[in-house]
Amino acid sequence: MELIKQLEIEITHLLEASKDNENVDCSNIVNILQKLMELSLKQKEIESILNQLNKIPDREYNFYLFKAYFHYHNKNKLKWLSYHKTQILLDFYAYQENKSTSSDFIFDIDSISAFININIEDNIQLFDALIEDEEIKNDIECQNLLYANKYVSSNKLEDALEYFFKVYTLNKNNWYALYFIGVIYYIQRNLLSSINYLEKTLQILNNSSSVNKNKFISDCQFYIANNYSLQKNFVKESEAYYKCLAIESSYPYAKNNLGYSLLRQGKLNESLQIFNECIKEKNDGEFPLLNKIRVLKKMRKYDEALKFIESIKVPIKSKKTLLKLKTELLSLKNKQEVNNEVSTKNEIEENPAGKITPIKITPINIAESLNNQKEIENEKMIEIFLEQRILNNQEVLEKKLKMYQANDGTHGRQFYTPIGRIDLLTIDVDTNDFVIIELKKGKSDDEVSGQIMRYIN
């Protein structure tokens, strides 16, 4: 391959120049390696690249990241881990010397893993190796962040939360920990707490000099929008999507979801304009195509909607949805009288919004369970059920309760204390007393009572 021959020439030139103590620009080597990473390489080609890279002394030139990449894809896990960890430790020393934030350091670790494209199991192995490193052990904040990231990768979100809160206890300005607390609470449908922690993240980021701030600001706004969507607060939802797009105009699915939020607010012309922009920009996959049909249907422009369906040339995965929309449009067109209000309830349930959760987990589905307490089987679902009853001013435990809200906006569900998180911290409306609700499955009365007494103390 021509690129590998060019790499060999450039590395030979580098080594000859280093003998004469000349300063050599390594940018050509870096550019060639980056191009090679974009190709589907055969094992012999990867081995040839590694043979060239191994000629470069590690101590004189920092090619650890590229060596880690090609060793990983050559399935030499031992050498991959060694080079990968070395690169991270160099970043760790730079973080300590420059007094940058642990948030940026941990984000750099995520970026390096994404660069090498390692799988989840190997990512966990990497975190284990870093956690046990003697240098990092001396930095409790960083070590706790590594534990938290390990548990996020393992999909053990409760364990991850514990470590993110440990970091938050050490450093109230650690935006990385606050961000993930907000995201995990969103996944667990702890919506009010999620918004609170995401807004705290935004406050810190807006006053931060972090080079990563814009990426996380747009992420926060996207998750805040999704929280408001689940609460059916479509006005605040669309406001958050607008803020997200102001930071990153091509943020995945934000524009499509904004259009759908406007549709649910009855702002049909604005919604149609948004979907047309998405389609023109070829953003957000098939969702804007289907949603444009929904808007035209809502506007009673049945002919225009049917013509648009015929004009679609790209493959549509949701063929059943498209066929259903077409059938409804033909039926409505043939009716002489159409009701003034055409319900979009079924359309909303089809989840026309785009992908909204980058962490791969199965979200809690409680739609039917809330109407039938016999179907509630785990603590989280009971927790959501009780919270919704309290927020809807319904009695719980034969009491009228309200959710506790701290001065900083912290919500009473999963309320953090130094000894753990209270499932539901509430206030008795009649007596103004605190009421702690703790949900436990398969634990003795004494054990649960002891935990509640520690919360009270």
Side-chain angles (χ1 to χ4, degrees), residues 322-361:
L322 186 63
L323 180 61
K324 180 182 176 183
L325 286 167
K326 186 175 181 179
T327 303
E328 289 173 353
L329 288 164
L330 288 168
S331 175
L332 290 167
K333 181 184 174 185
N334 292 331
K335 286 183 180 179
Q336 292 183 352
E337 294 183 3
V338 180
N339 293 331
N340 290 329
E341 295 182 4
V342 180
S343 172
T344 60
K345 179 181 178 182
N346 291 333
E347 298 166 14
I348 293 172
E349 290 175 350
E350 289 168 4
N351 190 23
K355 181 181 177 183
I356 57 177
T357 308
I359 301 174
K360 293 182 181 179
I361 75 145

mmCIF file of all heavy atoms in Angstrom, residues 322-361:
data_model
loop_
_atom_site.group_PDB
_atom_site.id
_atom_site.type_symbol
_atom_site.label_atom_id
_atom_site.label_comp_id
_atom_site.label_asym_id
_atom_site.label_seq_id
_atom_site.Cartn_x
_atom_site.Cartn_y
_atom_site.Cartn_z
ATOM 1 N N LEU A 322 -45.176 4.651 7.928
ATOM 2 C CA LEU A 322 -45.426 5.390 6.686
ATOM 3 C C LEU A 322 -46.717 4.908 6.025
ATOM 4 O O LEU A 322 -47.537 5.719 5.572
ATOM 5 C CB LEU A 322 -44.245 5.214 5.737
ATOM 6 C CG LEU A 322 -44.291 6.041 4.443
ATOM 7 C CD1 LEU A 322 -44.274 7.534 4.766
ATOM 8 C CD2 LEU A 322 -43.112 5.687 3.538
ATOM 9 N N LEU A 323 -46.917 3.593 5.997
ATOM 10 C CA LEU A 323 -48.129 3.040 5.409
ATOM 11 C C LEU A 323 -49.365 3.461 6.191
ATOM 12 O O LEU A 323 -50.414 3.791 5.602
ATOM 13 C CB LEU A 323 -48.028 1.514 5.363
ATOM 14 C CG LEU A 323 -49.229 0.776 4.757
ATOM 15 C CD1 LEU A 323 -49.430 1.187 3.304
ATOM 16 C CD2 LEU A 323 -49.019 -0.739 4.858
ATOM 17 N N LYS A 324 -49.237 3.472 7.517
ATOM 18 C CA LYS A 324 -50.356 3.890 8.374
ATOM 19 C C LYS A 324 -50.725 5.348 8.107
ATOM 20 O O LYS A 324 -51.909 5.690 7.982
ATOM 21 C CB LYS A 324 -49.980 3.706 9.843
ATOM 22 C CG LYS A 324 -51.077 4.102 10.822
ATOM 23 C CD LYS A 324 -50.603 3.937 12.253
ATOM 24 C CE LYS A 324 -51.660 4.427 13.240
ATOM 25 N NZ LYS A 324 -51.183 4.333 14.638
ATOM 26 N N LEU A 325 -49.704 6.208 8.005
ATOM 27 C CA LEU A 325 -49.963 7.624 7.715
ATOM 28 C C LEU A 325 -50.630 7.797 6.356
ATOM 29 O O LEU A 325 -51.568 8.589 6.204
ATOM 30 C CB LEU A 325 -48.650 8.413 7.764
ATOM 31 C CG LEU A 325 -48.061 8.679 9.147
ATOM 32 C CD1 LEU A 325 -46.631 9.183 9.035
ATOM 33 C CD2 LEU A 325 -48.917 9.673 9.922
ATOM 34 N N LYS A 326 -50.152 7.055 5.378
ATOM 35 C CA LYS A 326 -50.731 7.151 4.021
ATOM 36 C C LYS A 326 -52.184 6.702 4.025
ATOM 37 O O LYS A 326 -53.055 7.349 3.414
ATOM 38 C CB LYS A 326 -49.905 6.298 3.056
ATOM 39 C CG LYS A 326 -50.345 6.440 1.607
ATOM 40 C CD LYS A 326 -49.412 5.666 0.674
ATOM 41 C CE LYS A 326 -49.845 5.842 -0.776
ATOM 42 N NZ LYS A 326 -48.924 5.117 -1.708
ATOM 43 N N THR A 327 -52.474 5.612 4.729
ATOM 44 C CA THR A 327 -53.852 5.102 4.816
ATOM 45 C C THR A 327 -54.764 6.123 5.491
ATOM 46 O O THR A 327 -55.893 6.371 5.026
ATOM 47 C CB THR A 327 -53.874 3.775 5.605
ATOM 48 O OG1 THR A 327 -53.001 2.835 4.987
ATOM 49 C CG2 THR A 327 -55.274 3.203 5.660
ATOM 50 N N GLU A 328 -54.280 6.742 6.568
ATOM 51 C CA GLU A 328 -55.079 7.757 7.280
ATOM 52 C C GLU A 328 -55.342 8.958 6.383
ATOM 53 O O GLU A 328 -56.459 9.497 6.370
ATOM 54 C CB GLU A 328 -54.345 8.198 8.548
ATOM 55 C CG GLU A 328 -54.309 7.143 9.639
ATOM 56 C CD GLU A 328 -53.442 7.550 10.815
ATOM 57 O OE1 GLU A 328 -52.767 8.592 10.714
ATOM 58 O OE2 GLU A 328 -53.425 6.819 11.823
ATOM 59 N N LEU A 329 -54.326 9.376 5.634
ATOM 60 C CA LEU A 329 -54.487 10.534 4.739
ATOM 61 C C LEU A 329 -55.501 10.256 3.645
ATOM 62 O O LEU A 329 -56.347 11.107 3.329
ATOM 63 C CB LEU A 329 -53.134 10.905 4.133
ATOM 64 C CG LEU A 329 -52.134 11.561 5.074
ATOM 65 C CD1 LEU A 329 -50.725 11.522 4.489
ATOM 66 C CD2 LEU A 329 -52.536 12.996 5.381
ATOM 67 N N LEU A 330 -55.445 9.063 3.067
ATOM 68 C CA LEU A 330 -56.411 8.708 2.018
ATOM 69 C C LEU A 330 -57.822 8.659 2.580
ATOM 70 O O LEU A 330 -58.781 9.111 1.936
ATOM 71 C CB LEU A 330 -56.033 7.346 1.416
ATOM 72 C CG LEU A 330 -54.785 7.351 0.524
ATOM 73 C CD1 LEU A 330 -54.348 5.921 0.222
ATOM 74 C CD2 LEU A 330 -55.048 8.121 -0.768
ATOM 75 N N SER A 331 -57.962 8.137 3.800
ATOM 76 C CA SER A 331 -59.275 8.064 4.440
ATOM 77 C C SER A 331 -59.834 9.461 4.710
ATOM 78 O O SER A 331 -61.003 9.740 4.443
ATOM 79 C CB SER A 331 -59.173 7.269 5.738
ATOM 80 O OG SER A 331 -60.399 7.274 6.433
ATOM 81 N N LEU A 332 -58.965 10.340 5.239
ATOM 82 C CA LEU A 332 -59.398 11.703 5.553
ATOM 83 C C LEU A 332 -59.743 12.488 4.286
ATOM 84 O O LEU A 332 -60.673 13.300 4.271
ATOM 85 C CB LEU A 332 -58.302 12.431 6.335
ATOM 86 C CG LEU A 332 -58.084 11.933 7.765
ATOM 87 C CD1 LEU A 332 -56.777 12.481 8.339
ATOM 88 C CD2 LEU A 332 -59.254 12.321 8.665
ATOM 89 N N LYS A 333 -58.955 12.244 3.247
ATOM 90 C CA LYS A 333 -59.206 12.953 1.977
ATOM 91 C C LYS A 333 -60.571 12.586 1.396
ATOM 92 O O LYS A 333 -61.258 13.429 0.804
ATOM 93 C CB LYS A 333 -58.095 12.597 0.998
ATOM 94 C CG LYS A 333 -58.227 13.294 -0.350
ATOM 95 C CD LYS A 333 -57.158 12.824 -1.309
ATOM 96 C CE LYS A 333 -57.410 13.424 -2.677
ATOM 97 N NZ LYS A 333 -56.452 12.911 -3.684
ATOM 98 N N ASN A 334 -60.950 11.324 1.591
ATOM 99 C CA ASN A 334 -62.213 10.847 1.018
ATOM 100 C C ASN A 334 -63.427 11.223 1.857
ATOM 101 O O ASN A 334 -64.559 11.077 1.402
ATOM 102 C CB ASN A 334 -62.155 9.329 0.850
ATOM 103 C CG ASN A 334 -61.151 8.928 -0.217
ATOM 104 O OD1 ASN A 334 -60.907 9.686 -1.157
ATOM 105 N ND2 ASN A 334 -60.553 7.750 -0.085
ATOM 106 N N LYS A 335 -63.213 11.695 3.063
ATOM 107 C CA LYS A 335 -64.333 12.110 3.894
ATOM 108 C C LYS A 335 -64.758 13.520 3.523
ATOM 109 O O LYS A 335 -63.913 14.403 3.339
ATOM 110 C CB LYS A 335 -63.964 12.054 5.373
ATOM 111 C CG LYS A 335 -63.883 10.633 5.927
ATOM 112 C CD LYS A 335 -63.586 10.662 7.411
ATOM 113 C CE LYS A 335 -63.503 9.252 7.968
ATOM 114 N NZ LYS A 335 -63.193 9.250 9.420
ATOM 115 N N GLN A 336 -66.036 13.769 3.471
ATOM 116 C CA GLN A 336 -66.524 15.117 3.147
ATOM 117 C C GLN A 336 -66.409 16.053 4.339
ATOM 118 O O GLN A 336 -66.219 17.249 4.185
ATOM 119 C CB GLN A 336 -67.994 15.053 2.684
ATOM 120 C CG GLN A 336 -68.169 14.359 1.345
ATOM 121 C CD GLN A 336 -69.605 14.368 0.876
ATOM 122 O OE1 GLN A 336 -70.508 14.771 1.615
ATOM 123 N NE2 GLN A 336 -69.835 13.924 -0.345
ATOM 124 N N GLU A 337 -66.579 15.495 5.506
ATOM 125 C CA GLU A 337 -66.463 16.314 6.709
ATOM 126 C C GLU A 337 -65.353 15.737 7.587
ATOM 127 O O GLU A 337 -65.332 14.541 7.874
ATOM 128 C CB GLU A 337 -67.771 16.318 7.508
ATOM 129 C CG GLU A 337 -68.912 17.005 6.784
ATOM 130 C CD GLU A 337 -70.175 17.054 7.625
ATOM 131 O OE1 GLU A 337 -70.135 16.608 8.789
ATOM 132 O OE2 GLU A 337 -71.164 17.527 7.117
ATOM 133 N N VAL A 338 -64.462 16.622 7.976
ATOM 134 C CA VAL A 338 -63.341 16.217 8.834
ATOM 135 C C VAL A 338 -63.478 16.944 10.166
ATOM 136 O O VAL A 338 -63.785 18.138 10.199
ATOM 137 C CB VAL A 338 -61.992 16.575 8.184
ATOM 138 C CG1 VAL A 338 -60.834 16.160 9.084
ATOM 139 C CG2 VAL A 338 -61.881 15.912 6.824
ATOM 140 N N ASN A 339 -63.321 16.221 11.252
ATOM 141 C CA ASN A 339 -63.397 16.869 12.565
ATOM 142 C C ASN A 339 -62.385 17.999 12.669
ATOM 143 O O ASN A 339 -61.293 17.929 12.113
ATOM 144 C CB ASN A 339 -63.119 15.854 13.677
ATOM 145 C CG ASN A 339 -64.231 14.814 13.772
ATOM 146 O OD1 ASN A 339 -65.382 15.111 13.436
ATOM 147 N ND2 ASN A 339 -63.874 13.621 14.197
ATOM 148 N N ASN A 340 -62.744 19.056 13.394
ATOM 149 C CA ASN A 340 -61.851 20.208 13.542
ATOM 150 C C ASN A 340 -60.547 19.843 14.246
ATOM 151 O O ASN A 340 -59.501 20.434 14.001
ATOM 152 C CB ASN A 340 -62.544 21.335 14.320
ATOM 153 C CG ASN A 340 -63.655 21.961 13.494
ATOM 154 O OD1 ASN A 340 -63.567 22.003 12.274
ATOM 155 N ND2 ASN A 340 -64.700 22.435 14.165
ATOM 156 N N GLU A 341 -60.630 18.893 15.158
ATOM 157 C CA GLU A 341 -59.437 18.489 15.886
ATOM 158 C C GLU A 341 -59.149 17.027 15.601
ATOM 159 O O GLU A 341 -59.968 16.170 15.919
ATOM 160 C CB GLU A 341 -59.618 18.686 17.394
ATOM 161 C CG GLU A 341 -59.770 20.128 17.790
ATOM 162 C CD GLU A 341 -59.889 20.293 19.299
ATOM 163 O OE1 GLU A 341 -59.775 19.268 20.010
ATOM 164 O OE2 GLU A 341 -60.099 21.418 19.726
ATOM 165 N N VAL A 342 -58.040 16.791 14.962
ATOM 166 C CA VAL A 342 -57.614 15.417 14.686
ATOM 167 C C VAL A 342 -56.590 15.031 15.743
ATOM 168 O O VAL A 342 -55.538 15.660 15.849
ATOM 169 C CB VAL A 342 -56.993 15.302 13.272
ATOM 170 C CG1 VAL A 342 -56.555 13.862 13.006
ATOM 171 C CG2 VAL A 342 -57.995 15.770 12.223
ATOM 172 N N SER A 343 -56.928 14.011 16.531
ATOM 173 C CA SER A 343 -56.040 13.645 17.639
ATOM 174 C C SER A 343 -54.709 13.123 17.123
ATOM 175 O O SER A 343 -54.642 12.367 16.173
ATOM 176 C CB SER A 343 -56.720 12.582 18.503
ATOM 177 O OG SER A 343 -55.823 12.080 19.453
ATOM 178 N N THR A 344 -53.633 13.581 17.773
ATOM 179 C CA THR A 344 -52.291 13.096 17.434
ATOM 180 C C THR A 344 -51.737 12.177 18.522
ATOM 181 O O THR A 344 -50.552 11.905 18.566
ATOM 182 C CB THR A 344 -51.316 14.279 17.249
ATOM 183 O OG1 THR A 344 -51.272 15.013 18.469
ATOM 184 C CG2 THR A 344 -51.730 15.160 16.108
ATOM 185 N N LYS A 345 -52.661 11.725 19.402
ATOM 186 C CA LYS A 345 -52.201 10.928 20.539
ATOM 187 C C LYS A 345 -51.405 9.701 20.101
ATOM 188 O O LYS A 345 -50.323 9.426 20.608
ATOM 189 C CB LYS A 345 -53.393 10.491 21.384
ATOM 190 C CG LYS A 345 -52.992 9.638 22.585
ATOM 191 C CD LYS A 345 -54.217 9.226 23.376
ATOM 192 C CE LYS A 345 -53.817 8.332 24.536
ATOM 193 N NZ LYS A 345 -54.967 7.851 25.312
ATOM 194 N N ASN A 346 -51.941 8.939 19.133
ATOM 195 C CA ASN A 346 -51.258 7.722 18.699
ATOM 196 C C ASN A 346 -49.911 8.029 18.075
ATOM 197 O O ASN A 346 -48.958 7.291 18.211
ATOM 198 C CB ASN A 346 -52.124 6.955 17.709
ATOM 199 C CG ASN A 346 -53.359 6.364 18.381
ATOM 200 O OD1 ASN A 346 -53.324 6.087 19.567
ATOM 201 N ND2 ASN A 346 -54.430 6.197 17.614
ATOM 202 N N GLU A 347 -49.847 9.177 17.347
ATOM 203 C CA GLU A 347 -48.590 9.538 16.706
ATOM 204 C C GLU A 347 -47.512 9.793 17.739
ATOM 205 O O GLU A 347 -46.360 9.408 17.572
ATOM 206 C CB GLU A 347 -48.785 10.782 15.839
ATOM 207 C CG GLU A 347 -49.784 10.548 14.697
ATOM 208 C CD GLU A 347 -50.222 11.851 14.053
ATOM 209 O OE1 GLU A 347 -49.545 12.856 14.318
ATOM 210 O OE2 GLU A 347 -51.206 11.863 13.329
ATOM 211 N N ILE A 348 -47.882 10.465 18.824
ATOM 212 C CA ILE A 348 -46.903 10.772 19.868
ATOM 213 C C ILE A 348 -46.380 9.488 20.492
ATOM 214 O O ILE A 348 -45.201 9.354 20.761
ATOM 215 C CB ILE A 348 -47.552 11.677 20.943
ATOM 216 C CG1 ILE A 348 -47.868 13.057 20.332
ATOM 217 C CG2 ILE A 348 -46.644 11.835 22.146
ATOM 218 C CD1 ILE A 348 -48.676 13.948 21.220
ATOM 219 N N GLU A 349 -47.269 8.502 20.639
ATOM 220 C CA GLU A 349 -46.846 7.255 21.262
ATOM 221 C C GLU A 349 -45.895 6.462 20.371
ATOM 222 O O GLU A 349 -45.208 5.572 20.824
ATOM 223 C CB GLU A 349 -48.076 6.417 21.620
ATOM 224 C CG GLU A 349 -48.883 7.023 22.778
ATOM 225 C CD GLU A 349 -50.158 6.262 23.041
ATOM 226 O OE1 GLU A 349 -50.512 5.395 22.218
ATOM 227 O OE2 GLU A 349 -50.799 6.543 24.060
ATOM 228 N N GLU A 350 -45.849 6.816 19.055
ATOM 229 C CA GLU A 350 -44.950 6.099 18.149
ATOM 230 C C GLU A 350 -43.511 6.536 18.317
ATOM 231 O O GLU A 350 -42.626 6.039 17.650
ATOM 232 C CB GLU A 350 -45.382 6.340 16.700
ATOM 233 C CG GLU A 350 -46.685 5.617 16.342
ATOM 234 C CD GLU A 350 -47.244 6.108 15.022
ATOM 235 O OE1 GLU A 350 -46.579 6.931 14.380
ATOM 236 O OE2 GLU A 350 -48.332 5.668 14.646
ATOM 237 N N ASN A 351 -43.266 7.501 19.207
ATOM 238 C CA ASN A 351 -41.912 7.983 19.474
ATOM 239 C C ASN A 351 -41.232 8.513 18.225
ATOM 240 O O ASN A 351 -40.216 7.977 17.776
ATOM 241 C CB ASN A 351 -41.062 6.885 20.097
ATOM 242 C CG ASN A 351 -39.738 7.437 20.596
ATOM 243 O OD1 ASN A 351 -39.631 8.625 20.862
ATOM 244 N ND2 ASN A 351 -38.738 6.587 20.710
ATOM 245 N N PRO A 352 -41.798 9.587 17.611
ATOM 246 C CA PRO A 352 -41.188 10.123 16.396
ATOM 247 C C PRO A 352 -39.925 10.903 16.671
ATOM 248 O O PRO A 352 -39.221 11.270 15.758
ATOM 249 C CB PRO A 352 -42.282 11.039 15.849
ATOM 250 C CG PRO A 352 -43.018 11.487 17.061
ATOM 251 C CD PRO A 352 -42.993 10.315 18.012
ATOM 252 N N ALA A 353 -39.659 11.202 17.931
ATOM 253 C CA ALA A 353 -38.423 11.930 18.241
ATOM 254 C C ALA A 353 -37.225 11.030 18.000
ATOM 255 O O ALA A 353 -37.328 9.819 17.942
ATOM 256 C CB ALA A 353 -38.444 12.398 19.697
ATOM 257 N N GLY A 354 -36.079 11.665 17.855
ATOM 258 C CA GLY A 354 -34.865 10.913 17.545
ATOM 259 C C GLY A 354 -34.269 10.236 18.757
ATOM 260 O O GLY A 354 -34.813 10.273 19.853
ATOM 261 N N LYS A 355 -33.132 9.613 18.516
ATOM 262 C CA LYS A 355 -32.407 8.940 19.592
ATOM 263 C C LYS A 355 -32.001 9.969 20.639
ATOM 264 O O LYS A 355 -31.435 10.999 20.300
ATOM 265 C CB LYS A 355 -31.168 8.261 19.016
ATOM 266 C CG LYS A 355 -30.330 7.499 20.024
ATOM 267 C CD LYS A 355 -29.125 6.908 19.328
ATOM 268 C CE LYS A 355 -28.224 6.201 20.309
ATOM 269 N NZ LYS A 355 -27.009 5.674 19.675
ATOM 270 N N ILE A 356 -32.268 9.680 21.927
ATOM 271 C CA ILE A 356 -32.015 10.701 22.931
ATOM 272 C C ILE A 356 -31.113 10.226 24.060
ATOM 273 O O ILE A 356 -30.793 10.998 24.936
ATOM 274 C CB ILE A 356 -33.339 11.220 23.543
ATOM 275 C CG1 ILE A 356 -34.140 10.076 24.144
ATOM 276 C CG2 ILE A 356 -34.160 11.945 22.514
ATOM 277 C CD1 ILE A 356 -35.410 10.502 24.833
ATOM 278 N N THR A 357 -30.690 8.979 24.048
ATOM 279 C CA THR A 357 -29.887 8.485 25.162
ATOM 280 C C THR A 357 -28.622 7.803 24.663
ATOM 281 O O THR A 357 -28.679 6.693 24.170
ATOM 282 C CB THR A 357 -30.698 7.491 26.022
ATOM 283 O OG1 THR A 357 -31.939 8.103 26.378
ATOM 284 C CG2 THR A 357 -29.943 7.119 27.279
ATOM 285 N N PRO A 358 -27.464 8.481 24.770
ATOM 286 C CA PRO A 358 -26.252 7.864 24.268
ATOM 287 C C PRO A 358 -25.785 6.666 25.074
ATOM 288 O O PRO A 358 -25.102 5.808 24.580
ATOM 289 C CB PRO A 358 -25.229 8.995 24.353
ATOM 290 C CG PRO A 358 -25.770 9.931 25.359
ATOM 291 C CD PRO A 358 -27.259 9.805 25.301
ATOM 292 N N ILE A 359 -26.164 6.604 26.365
ATOM 293 C CA ILE A 359 -25.783 5.460 27.185
ATOM 294 C C ILE A 359 -26.733 4.308 26.861
ATOM 295 O O ILE A 359 -27.942 4.458 26.897
ATOM 296 C CB ILE A 359 -25.866 5.802 28.678
ATOM 297 C CG1 ILE A 359 -24.942 6.973 28.995
ATOM 298 C CG2 ILE A 359 -25.516 4.603 29.524
ATOM 299 C CD1 ILE A 359 -25.058 7.465 30.397
ATOM 300 N N LYS A 360 -26.172 3.144 26.546
ATOM 301 C CA LYS A 360 -26.995 2.017 26.128
ATOM 302 C C LYS A 360 -27.538 1.279 27.343
ATOM 303 O O LYS A 360 -26.888 0.424 27.915
ATOM 304 C CB LYS A 360 -26.181 1.064 25.258
ATOM 305 C CG LYS A 360 -25.771 1.653 23.925
ATOM 306 C CD LYS A 360 -25.006 0.651 23.098
ATOM 307 C CE LYS A 360 -24.584 1.246 21.768
ATOM 308 N NZ LYS A 360 -23.810 0.275 20.959
ATOM 309 N N ILE A 361 -28.765 1.638 27.748
ATOM 310 C CA ILE A 361 -29.417 0.905 28.830
ATOM 311 C C ILE A 361 -30.890 0.769 28.491
ATOM 312 O O ILE A 361 -31.396 1.433 27.600
ATOM 313 C CB ILE A 361 -29.271 1.614 30.190
ATOM 314 C CG1 ILE A 361 -30.199 2.819 30.251
ATOM 315 C CG2 ILE A 361 -27.886 2.014 30.488
ATOM 316 C CD1 ILE A 361 -30.737 3.029 31.612
#
